[in-house]
Amino acid sequence: MRGPDSPEMTAKIAIAVFVVLFLLHQDSWNWDNGKLWFGFLPAGLGYHAAYSVVVALFWAAVNRFAWPHAVEAWAEEGEKD
Amino acid sequence: MTTFFILVGYLALLIGLGLLSSRFFKGTSADYFVVSRSVGSFLLLMSIFGTTMTGFAIVGSTAKSYTTGVGVYGLMASWSGLVHSAVFFAVGIKLWAIGKRHGYLTQCEFFRDRFESPGLGYLLFPILVLLVIPYLLVGVIAAGKFIQPTTAGLFPEAFPMPPLPNGQPHPLHGGIPPWLGSGVICLIVLFYVFFGGLRGAVWANTFQTIVFMITGVIAFYMISKNLGGLKVAGESVVASEFGSSRLVREGMMGKLEFMSYCFVPLSVGMFPHLFQHWLTARSAQNFKLTVVAHPLFILIVWMPCVLIGIWAAAYLGPLGEGQSPNSVLGRMVGQLVHSPVLSGLVGAGVLAAIMSSLDSQFMCLGTMFTNDIVVRKFGANRFSDSQKILIARGFILAVVAVTYWLSLALKDSAHIFDLGVWCFSGFAGLFPLVVAAIYWKRVTAAGAYACILSVVAVWCVLFYRDIIAVKPAGAASDELLVLGMMPVALIIAVSTLSLVVVSLLTRKPSDDTIRKFFV
């Protein structure tokens, strides 16, 4: 699977997904939800635990498709010590 | 005594690790300060995670969940998962690249060159030091206060305490007092940082992070098992009037307050000790594991603690007069598990979380003083590498001594832990400065000064209102909110505005500087 060719486009997509994740953090619909998932996990906690996993997956995708190769090369080519 | 011996064994292991790391020391200042920029992915992940997680991650998260409910996870943990990784990716990698290319060791060196202003370094140095010291104090005081109840009853003749007014024995009778507990912790951290430099801190952090993650999971398993299993524990919370209110956020926190907590984790972008850890990476590729695993590690540490907190609300009920929520984890382990081995392991885990932040902070203050003040004032060629290391060690020794002395003087202050939160707000307020420095070519030295001074001004006003000003009788003692949000939101708004407006009104930096810092 290949990401979009343009680094600018992948960066824009990553920022857009980041904004969506930012908004999804504010789960007002769980504010007074006291139900237990699987009989022990409060809904508000379960949602944010799953959110943490999704965030990790997001950063894995960012590493894969929007890695700052130019910055990395710039650092290596002009190393001082 | 088993608990005590486990703690002693753990601390002895740290001393051994310090000795071992010193055998790898190459004798250069670059090796002492940034491990010769040779740290790989795993050590980078563990050292950065250990540094960002304080004792609050274990004891405080359980206590906060007990008092505020499950919303504390979203408030502090899942926000940190998203924002910390974003800062590591967007700021950390860029600063690592700049540091590697130009040989920087501290933030002040970078900002001084980036803004073509030697004075900026001298302005920033005391601010960063003053923000780190209360953060250090919280760790040293917390360690001393944790060791005393953990060892209560073990040394009744050496450390007696008078009985309570009601005739009951003092609960801390025979426990190692804070002056000794904090002192021992300071000495052990000093030992491995003094001899091993940042390599000692990185190795110790890695070991400590493994310890506090594993002990947290073991404590969670044992407590849930002794409560009758996960489902029974969950049902008991639902059935408890005191506990069931902790299952939701309604009535526990405001929606704007919940949202505005996103600004607090931005502080990692300006932590001087984290800046130094970023510089240790062998290559940019080493950041990948940290960026991905950090939210998962937060989940592994925080979720069990938050669940134990709400189970404690059902199991223990409301605490009595004078009992601290910070005792909740210890009481759950003590009352449900009855295992001195587990108590010792949890104790080692809490100390691990505390010490893994202290070491990097001591180390960064030594590095900053040597490079930002001494070398800057007398010239880079004035000192040999071994002299620079000697200066850094001397300053670290002085910082440890001052911190220890302050911890004794302030250990009973009601506001010392609030001070920790205000440190985070101060660092977060300076976050726009580092973002502008690496992404905005138009930012100017005057804009940087305006940003820093506005943070100082707003921080002082809000700090005075929250901590120093005498509150009217009957006023709520809750944390200060501004328009329903955390004060850090206002500090960041003002610092960003000052930075942008003043930069646009002043002359842009030279082309040489732009070429030096931008790809």
Side-chain angles (χ1 to χ4, degrees), chain A residues 4 9-10 28 34 38-39 46 48 50-51 53 55 57 60 64 68-69 73 79:
Chain A
M9 181 55 75
T10 52
S28 298
F38 314 113
H48 279 276
Y51 178 89
V53 175
V55 164
L57 293 173
R64 171 75 179 81
H69 294 288
E79 184 180 353

Side-chain angles (χ1 to χ4, degrees), chain A residues 11 14 17-81, chain B residues 30 37 70 73-75 77-79 81-83 85-86 89 93-94 96-103 105 220 230-232 234-235 238 247-251 253-256 258-259 262 282-285 287-289 291-292 295-296 299 303 306-307 310-311 515-519:
Chain A
V17 177
F18 181 85
V19 171
V20 171
L21 283 173
F22 187 92
L23 296 174
L24 285 173
H25 186 276
Q26 193 73 9
D27 59 330
S28 298
W29 57 92
N30 280 325
W31 212 254
D32 54 0
N33 184 354
K35 286 182 184 165
L36 298 180
W37 291 1
F38 314 113
F40 78 97
L41 190 59
L45 180 59
Y47 174 85
H48 279 276
Y51 178 89
S52 296
V53 175
V54 172
V55 164
L57 293 173
F58 163 71
W59 286 114
V62 170
N63 279 348
R64 171 75 179 81
F65 298 112
W67 184 250
H69 294 288
V71 174
E72 191 178 12
W74 180 73
E76 303 290 353
E77 78 191 18
E79 184 180 353
K80 186 170 179 178
D81 57 12
Chain B
R37 303 184 200 270
V70 296
Y73 185 90
L75 207 66
S78 59
W79 263 143
L82 180 70
V83 176
S85 287
F89 186 86
I93 294 173
K94 200 78 186 281
W96 166 84
I98 291 170
K100 189 175 178 79
R101 196 173 163 96
H102 301 302
L105 297 174
F220 173 75
L230 291 172
K231 284 194 176 180
V232 174
E235 285 161 7
V238 175
L247 293 171
V248 297
R249 276 163 276 173
E250 186 65 49
M253 60 190 70
K255 289 181 180 172
L256 268 178
F258 185 76
M259 188 277 290
C262 68
R282 190 187 309 134
S283 82
Q285 294 290 324
F287 280 80
K288 283 184 171 175
L289 184 61
V291 168
V292 174
L296 297 176
L299 172 69
M303 200 172 83
V306 171
L307 280 170
I310 59 165
W311 294 343
R515 271 194 297 274
K516 183 175 178 181
F517 291 101
F518 287 85
V519 179

